[in-house]
Amino acid sequence: KGAIMARIDNTIVMQCDRCGKTGWYTSEEDPAGMKDWWNTRRLNAQNEFENHLLCANCFGEWTNKMKDFDNAMDSWMQNGGKQNG
């Protein structure tokens, strides 16, 4: 027989858009566990916003990636169109 899934009312399910990690929270719980989830927003190369829900681990990696992008952008802007080399 197939597995039976129990019904849980008033539940919030969080799933990371990157790794697929899932967290289940009921309305009766202290939302402390939900602090480990981050809604992110970034502007892509097509000048469109992308929104993603990330778990704490993926958010840490995303933050480092965004810092790399920030540093590359700062360097590009400071170069001001000057030719390299």
Side-chain angles (χ1 to χ4, degrees):
K1 294 181 177 181
I4 298 173
M5 182 167 207
R7 176 180 168 169
I8 303 173
D9 292 329
N10 301 316
T11 302
I12 298 169
V13 180
M14 308 291 266
Q15 184 173 30
C16 181
D17 289 330
R18 181 171 181 252
C19 73
K21 177 182 176 179
T22 303
W24 294 73
Y25 306 94
T26 63
S27 60
E28 293 83 31
E29 288 180 287
D30 180 2
M34 292 178 60
K35 71 177 171 30
D36 292 331
W37 295 91
W38 300 87
N39 289 303
T40 63
R41 186 176 189 193
R42 79 172 197 95
L43 192 62
N44 66 24
Q46 291 75 36
N47 207 35
E48 300 168 338
F49 282 106
E50 294 180 1
N51 299 302
H52 300 283
L53 177 64
L54 300 176
C55 67
N57 183 59
C58 289
F59 178 73
E61 292 180 26
W62 180 84
T63 300
N64 289 335
K65 180 65 73 179
M66 293 300 105
K67 287 177 184 177
D68 291 344
F69 291 151
D70 289 346
N71 290 335
M73 183 66 183
D74 289 346
S75 177
W76 181 79
M77 289 296 291
Q78 290 172 4
N79 192 24
K82 298 173 191 164
Q83 295 295 324
N84 291 330

